[in-house]
Amino acid sequence: MALFSFLILTSLCIAGREALSVSDCGAFARRPEYTDISVVCGTSAIDLAIQICPAVYTGYNESLLILNQIRDNEDCRGTLDNSVAPPVVRFSFPIREGNACGSKFLTTSAPGTGIFSAFSNIQTVNVSGVVRSFDPTIGTITYNAELKYYYSCAYPLEYLINNTQVDVSSSSIALKDNNGSFISTLSMALYQDMNYTKPLLMPPLGIELRKKIYVEVVASNLTSQYFVLLDRCYASVSPQPNNSTFFNLFVSCSIDDLTTMLENGDSQKARFYFSAFRFVEQQNETISTYFLHCITRLCEQSTCSTFKQCNRRRRSVETTVVQESITEPSVLTVAIRARTEDPLSGGQSDGKGASVGLGIAVAVLIVIGVAATLMAASFYRKLKRLS
């Protein structure tokens, strides 16, 4: 059996050397360095690229670089890429626990900071592993150095879905994977029906007050082990709620009376609806424009119920001013435009009609008061004569 294994490894080694030798590497043939591995932490997969010439220089080839000691899975083997300079061996595997080529998943928790300071438990999942060289030498000693290439990707599980563009009801975003961010898998859209089949298009004159607005946050192309849980959704008068008046639609277990949660933390989508309103400070504007923001948590299926409990520190539902800065680089675009006046009024919002009406009412009250005083005086004189 040992001889059989030796023959297989020897043939792999010879095949690898025929594919790429030290002379083929030229100037790229050198001793290994810490910078020989590059890692791309994608939203659905992790990609590794290891410079192969230092490994060839040390006595190995791509078939002898083993990912997390998994030798019997074709999907976990490296492939040689000669089309780049220097040439590399590439590994790519999905971010799914149990199917990530032996990668280790470690979830840690810490108190929230900045925009997430209202939450006492913010989670991050770390996906890590190592690519090791396999030495085919049979015997007591070897002259081949052992090579180890470590990788690690940290993915925060709390995101701010932030809205910045007026008159757009939904938008998916495309961005470069920022060392472990699932934000590009999240999107938010507005609908006009409870079945979430009719997208909500903003009318030119805005949405009527008290009209139901249906909101859906969806995770697409995300590993199935995570569900979507909305921790907080709020509206602000500014696209970036920095020193901006805002109103909480819900915070954890505190939900506004006109907000109804339909689904949250039970799948890879969350749904709720609320009634259109306006901000008082926009009373002199024909249309009240405000922006919807949702702080979204990606929780493992087994732990989502823990975060849905109502024993976490949270903010009360109120209208106030945000003093925090938002540093999240990812943006979704959604805005809400609500009417601030009755369309039958002809659009007069300068207050002249109200002033005229108030003057007439005061004049009528004065006349009634004078008439009552004269009638009381006349009645008093009659009583005095009779007595």
Side-chain angles (χ1 to χ4, degrees):
M1 187 65 177
L3 179 59
F4 180 74
S5 300
F6 169 75
L7 292 176
I8 292 179
L9 291 173
T10 302
S11 63
L12 288 174
C13 187
I14 294 174
R17 292 183 183 277
E18 290 178 351
L20 197 66
S21 64
V22 174
S23 59
D24 293 330
C25 288
F28 298 120
R30 55 168 175 78
R31 294 178 60 84
E33 298 177 356
Y34 291 111
T35 57
D36 287 345
I37 182 173
S38 63
V39 183
V40 176
C41 302
T43 58
S44 58
I46 294 177
D47 297 315
L48 310 178
I50 300 175
Q51 293 189 32
I52 189 59
C53 285
V56 172
Y57 181 85
T58 310
Y60 302 100
N61 59 63
E62 73 276 5
S63 65
L64 296 178
L65 297 182
I66 310 300
L67 176 60
N68 294 318
Q69 298 183 343
I70 296 179
R71 302 183 180 89
D72 56 352
N73 188 339
E74 187 70 27
D75 295 333
C76 300
R77 293 179 183 173
T79 57
L80 182 63
D81 184 0
N82 278 318
S83 64
V84 295
V88 297
V89 57
R90 299 187 184 278
F91 297 85
S92 182
F93 50 90
I95 310 173
R96 286 195 299 270
E97 193 167 9
N99 190 28
C101 291
S103 299
K104 295 181 180 178
F105 286 72
L106 177 63
T107 301
T108 58
S109 301
T113 59
I115 194 67
F116 305 125
S117 59
F119 306 100
S120 59
N121 193 340
I122 301 298
Q123 289 190 312
T124 299
V125 60
N126 184 277
V127 184
S128 62
V130 59
V131 176
R132 296 173 182 263
S133 60
F134 179 84
D135 192 344
T137 302
I138 302 297
T140 305
I141 64 171
T142 181
Y143 293 96
N144 296 329
E146 182 181 17
L147 303 181
K148 297 179 182 179
Y149 302 93
Y150 292 92
Y151 64 90
S152 176
C153 288
Y155 293 87
L157 298 180
E158 193 91 7
Y159 298 94
L160 172 65
I161 301 181
N162 186 35
N163 311 286
T164 58
Q165 184 174 336
V166 177
D167 294 336
V168 178
S169 61
S170 71
S171 174
S172 295
I173 57 177
L175 53 94
K176 293 182 179 179
D177 296 313
N178 187 12
N179 189 29
S181 175
F182 288 137
I183 184 67
S184 60
T185 71
L186 296 171
S187 63
M188 177 162 59
L190 305 180
Y191 294 86
Q192 55 182 312
D193 66 312
M194 185 173 287
N195 294 325
Y196 290 82
T197 57
K198 300 177 181 178
L200 177 62
L201 302 178
M202 296 296 163
L205 297 179
I207 299 174
E208 295 183 6
L209 297 177
R210 295 185 179 276
K211 177 181 175 62
K212 296 290 190 298
I213 298 176
Y214 297 87
V215 184
E216 181 181 59
V217 176
V218 178
S220 55
N221 298 321
L222 178 67
T223 172
S224 59
Q225 72 190 78
Y226 294 108
F227 282 172
V228 171
L229 177 67
L230 301 180
D231 270 334
R232 176 191 176 200
C233 286
Y234 61 101
S236 71
V237 297
S238 171
Q240 297 287 342
N242 193 17
N243 298 324
S244 170
T245 301
F246 70 81
F247 179 74
N248 283 324
L249 297 172
F250 65 85
V251 180
S252 186
C253 296
S254 297
I255 302 178
D256 181 70
D257 292 339
L258 296 181
T259 300
T260 301
M261 184 64 66
L262 299 176
E263 182 178 356
N264 195 22
D266 299 319
S267 68
Q268 292 197 336
K269 65 177 179 289
R271 291 175 170 179
F272 70 95
Y273 66 88
F274 65 96
S275 299
F277 57 88
R278 67 179 179 86
F279 280 91
V280 175
E281 68 180 61
Q282 297 176 328
Q283 60 185 350
N284 292 327
E285 301 177 13
T286 303
I287 298 175
S288 174
T289 300
Y290 49 90
F291 302 84
L292 182 63
H293 316 270
C294 283
I295 294 178
T296 305
R297 180 189 297 270
L298 297 177
C299 52
E300 296 182 75
Q301 296 183 24
S302 59
T303 62
C304 271
S305 58
T306 302
F307 294 106
K308 294 167 68 173
Q309 296 176 1
C310 300
N311 57 359
R312 293 183 294 146
R313 177 168 56 94
R314 58 185 181 272
R315 290 178 182 167
S316 59
V317 178
E318 59 183 4
T319 300
T320 184
V321 175
V322 179
Q323 299 293 342
E324 305 155 335
S325 62
I326 294 181
T327 57
E328 290 293 328
S330 305
V331 176
L332 291 180
T333 55
V334 167
I336 297 172
R337 308 179 69 192
R339 297 177 184 175
T340 59
E341 58 188 23
D342 187 344
L344 298 178
S345 66
Q348 296 182 358
S349 59
D350 56 3
K352 292 182 179 179
S355 300
V356 172
L358 181 60
I360 294 174
V362 172
V364 171
L365 291 175
I366 292 175
V367 172
I368 293 175
V370 171
T373 302
L374 293 175
M375 291 178 63
S378 176
F379 183 71
Y380 176 74
R381 290 194 190 98
K382 289 180 180 181
L383 287 178
K384 191 173 183 181
R385 289 174 184 173
L386 292 175
S387 60

